[in-house]
Amino acid sequence: MANDASAVSDAISRDLAALADPFTPPADSTLWRKNFLLGAATASYQIEGAVDEDGRLPSIWDTFSATPGKVLAGDTGAVACDHYHRWEADVDMLVSLGLEGYRLSIAWPRVMDAAGVPNRKGLDFYKRLLNRLKEKGITTFVTLYHWDLPQHLEDRGGWLNRDTAYRFADYADLMSRELAGTVDAWATLNEPWCSAYLGYGNGHHAPGLADGRFATQAMHHLLLAHGLAVPVLRANDPASLKGIVANFGRGTANSDSAADQRAAHLFEVQHNAWILDPLLKGAYPQDLFELWPGTEPLVLDGDMQTISAPLDFLGINYYFRTSVASDGAHGIREVPLEGVERTQMGWEVYPDGLRDLLTGFNSTYRNLPPIYITENGMASDDKVIDGHVDDTQRISFLKRHLAAVDQAIKAGVDIRGYFLWSLMDNFEWAFGYERRFGVVHVDYSTQKRTVKRSAELVAKFLKERKAQV
C-alpha cells in the first residue's frame, strides 16, 4: 500500500506541475461562460449547531449521534461549525471568495413544532441569512430536506409512514410562503438514496434501521413527498426553480464476463435508476426487484403521476466509482481496485465516472431537465501549517472533475452550474469530525476558519472570469 500511495502522490504532483496554474480551466473550457454558476454547498445539521436553541426540536440525527457506537468518536452535531451564531461572518467569507452561488438546507425541526405551528425564531434565522445572501448578489439554492427529520415524525414511523410525505408537503408550504422571493432554486430532497438505503436499509445512517423492505418503502414515501411538494412550491414561489438533488454512483464491471457486466448494470439500477426512473419515467425499474426480490413498495393509484411531476432542474451529487463483480447468486459484490488514487474516505478518485454518468443520463432520459452538479468534492486530512492549508490533492481533484463536467457539456449535456462540497469542514455524519471536505478549514476547538489553497485558487479563477465579462 505504501508503494500505491507513493505512486498516487507522484501522479498528483505531475498533474499539477504540468500547469502554470493548477486550477484554472483551459481557454476553451465551457466553465469560462459567465452564466455557468460556481458555488459551494453546506447542510443544516452539519454546520449549524445550536440544537437546543430558539425552539428547535430534536431530529433523528440528534438521536442517532447521541447513541453510543453510531458515530465515530461519539461526535454529534450539537455545536458543529456554530454557523447558527456565526452566519454573518460565514456569508462574508463566502463573498470574499467570489463564489456566485450558495446551496444550503433548512432544518425542518427548527422552523415548526410537532403540531405544525411555525417557530418564528427559527424562521427568522433563515430569513436573515437568505436576505443577506441576496443583498450580496449570491444565487441561493435551498434544500428542504437534508436528512434531519424531526424525531417526533420518526416516532410515528418516519419515512415508513405515508403520512410523513403529507407532513413534508405542509412543511414545504410553510417555507415557500415565508421565504418566497429570497430563494432562486428549491430542492425538495437531498440524496433520497442515502435516506432510504443508509437510513432504513443497512442502518449506517439515522434512524438506523436495516431491512430491504424498509428501504424501498421509505424511498417511495420520500419520492411521494417530493411529488407532493413540487406543486406547492410552484404555487407559493413561482419565480424560483424547483428540483431535487440525488447522489449517483458509477459502477464498472471487474471483468468482461456476462455475469460481472450484469452486476455493474444492477449496481447502477440500484444507485441511479431507482431514483431517476420514477422521477422521469413514472415507474420503478423492475431490475431493482430482481436484485432485491420481495421488496416492492406499496404504491397507491396516482402515486407515480405525482412523483413524476416535471422538474426545472436535477441536482447531481457525485463522489466516486465502484468496481463490482457478480456474487454468483444474481447479486453484487464490490471488488476494491489496487493502485488507484483514494481520498480520506477511502473512495476512488475517478473523474471519468462523472462524465460517463452525465452523458449516459442524457441519452437514457429524453426528458432530462437542466443539471446542476450540486455536490462534488473530497475529504483529506488537512492541517493548518504556519497559517496555511495546502490541500494539493483537492486542487487536483477539482481540476479533473471540472474538466469532466466540461467534457459532458461539450457532448451535449445541459449543465448550468457546479457546487463545491463543501464550503467548510463540518460534521460528516457517521464519520463525525475526522473527515474534512471543506475548502475552508475549521478548528473545532476555536471555530477559527482558515481558507485552504483550493479555495484561494477557485477565488482567483472567478476573479479572472469576472474581469473578462
Side-chain angles (χ1 to χ4, degrees):
M1 291 300 292
N3 289 335
D4 289 345
S6 177
V8 167
S9 177
D10 289 346
I12 295 171
S13 296
R14 288 194 302 272
D15 177 45
L16 297 178
L19 298 170
D21 184 318
F23 176 80
T24 299
D28 66 345
S29 172
T30 57
L31 305 183
W32 285 100
R33 296 183 335 205
K34 64 180 180 180
N35 61 344
F36 186 86
L37 184 69
L38 276 169
T42 63
S44 52
Y45 190 74
Q46 293 182 270
I47 67 168
E48 285 181 3
V51 296
D52 297 319
E53 291 188 40
D54 293 338
R56 180 190 179 278
L57 302 180
S59 78
I60 56 174
W61 271 95
D62 295 308
T63 303
F64 188 78
S65 60
T67 303
K70 296 297 186 181
V71 175
L72 192 66
D75 291 337
T76 77
V79 177
C81 304
D82 197 32
H83 176 71
Y84 189 75
H85 301 114
R86 300 169 187 265
W87 67 270
E88 292 175 284
D90 288 339
V91 169
D92 289 343
M93 177 177 67
L94 181 82
V95 172
S96 73
L97 294 174
L99 293 165
E100 301 160 329
Y102 182 47
R103 177 177 170 242
L104 64 135
S105 77
I106 292 168
W108 188 350
R110 198 180 291 283
V111 296
M112 60 197 308
D113 70 11
V117 176
N119 175 21
R120 287 295 156 194
K121 290 184 178 180
L123 287 167
D124 286 347
F125 167 70
Y126 294 108
K127 288 181 178 181
R128 291 192 300 270
L129 173 59
L130 287 163
N131 282 326
R132 179 66 59 85
L133 289 165
K134 298 308 291 180
E135 288 171 8
K136 298 294 185 178
I138 304 295
T139 299
T140 52
F141 275 58
V142 173
T143 305
L144 285 169
Y145 184 67
H146 202 126
W147 306 353
D148 41 1
L149 184 71
Q151 182 62 45
H152 66 85
L153 289 177
E154 181 58 38
D155 293 341
R156 294 166 51 193
W159 291 111
L160 299 178
N161 183 349
R162 184 181 176 92
D163 184 65
T164 300
Y166 296 97
R167 302 290 72 76
F168 180 81
D170 293 342
Y171 161 56
D173 179 49
L174 172 65
M175 297 314 301
S176 54
R177 283 188 286 108
E178 293 284 343
L179 300 178
T182 65
V183 177
D184 292 300
W186 292 97
T188 52
L189 308 175
N190 176 77
E191 298 186 347
W193 187 92
C194 292
S195 296
Y197 185 73
L198 299 183
Y200 293 86
N202 72 2
H204 182 64
H205 280 186
L209 304 181
D211 188 307
R213 294 169 299 172
F214 290 173
T216 54
Q217 192 63 62
M219 176 66 84
H220 183 67
H221 291 155
L222 282 155
L223 294 178
L224 179 63
H226 157 79
L228 291 169
V230 167
V232 172
L233 296 170
R234 291 200 186 283
N236 292 343
D237 195 9
S240 62
L241 301 176
K242 289 82 182 173
I244 188 171
V245 170
N247 60 304
F248 296 108
R250 178 71 172 122
T252 58
N254 190 52
S255 80
D256 292 331
S257 75
D260 288 352
Q261 294 293 324
R262 180 65 177 170
H265 167 73
L266 291 174
F267 176 91
E268 293 201 351
V269 166
Q270 181 207 352
H271 284 78
N272 306 335
W274 187 16
I275 294 93
L276 286 182
D277 278 17
L279 291 171
L280 302 178
K281 294 183 176 181
Y284 288 106
Q286 288 306 303
D287 287 357
L288 180 69
F289 307 113
E290 172 190 329
L291 183 63
W292 293 336
T295 65
E296 293 86 344
L298 176 63
V299 178
L300 301 187
D301 288 346
D303 283 2
M304 302 314 294
Q305 292 91 331
T306 299
I307 289 169
S308 58
L311 300 171
D312 298 325
F313 75 94
L314 172 66
I316 287 182
N317 296 353
Y318 171 80
Y319 288 97
F320 60 95
R321 180 262 298 261
T322 304
S323 175
V324 299
S326 170
D327 67 357
H330 308 292
I332 303 167
R333 63 183 177 89
E334 184 176 344
V335 183
L337 299 176
E338 297 183 1
V340 299
E341 180 186 352
R342 296 189 182 276
T343 71
Q344 188 189 20
M345 296 290 287
W347 297 342
E348 181 192 1
V349 177
Y350 190 71
D352 287 354
L354 176 57
R355 180 202 61 214
D356 294 346
L357 287 173
L358 290 166
T359 56
F361 295 159
N362 200 43
S363 62
T364 300
Y365 301 98
R366 293 185 177 181
N367 58 336
L368 188 72
I371 288 170
Y372 289 86
I373 308 304
T374 36
E375 287 183 27
N376 181 234
M378 58 156 287
S380 55
D381 186 18
D382 300 322
K383 294 179 172 59
V384 179
I385 300 175
D386 296 329
H388 301 281
V389 181
D390 189 8
D391 52 339
T392 301
Q393 187 184 12
R394 181 174 291 104
I395 296 165
S396 174
F397 179 102
L398 295 176
K399 181 187 82 71
R400 287 175 285 161
H401 282 79
L402 282 164
V405 171
D406 177 54
Q407 292 164 9
I409 294 172
K410 290 175 178 175
V413 187
D414 185 2
I415 306 170
R416 306 283 179 89
Y418 175 99
F419 290 82
L420 301 157
W421 184 267
S422 174
L423 174 62
M424 56 186 151
D425 298 335
N426 53 53
F427 177 79
E428 183 45 41
W429 306 112
F431 294 99
Y433 294 102
E434 183 188 80
R435 315 294 167 93
R436 294 182 176 272
F437 276 89
V439 295
V440 174
H441 182 279
V442 178
D443 182 328
Y444 298 113
S445 63
T446 65
Q447 293 297 338
K448 178 178 174 58
R449 276 73 159 145
T450 301
V451 174
K452 301 179 187 180
R453 178 62 175 158
S454 58
E456 293 173 350
L457 291 172
V458 170
K460 178 177 180 290
F461 165 66
L462 287 169
K463 184 176 181 180
E464 292 173 353
R465 187 174 74 169
K466 186 176 181 180
Q468 292 191 10
V469 176

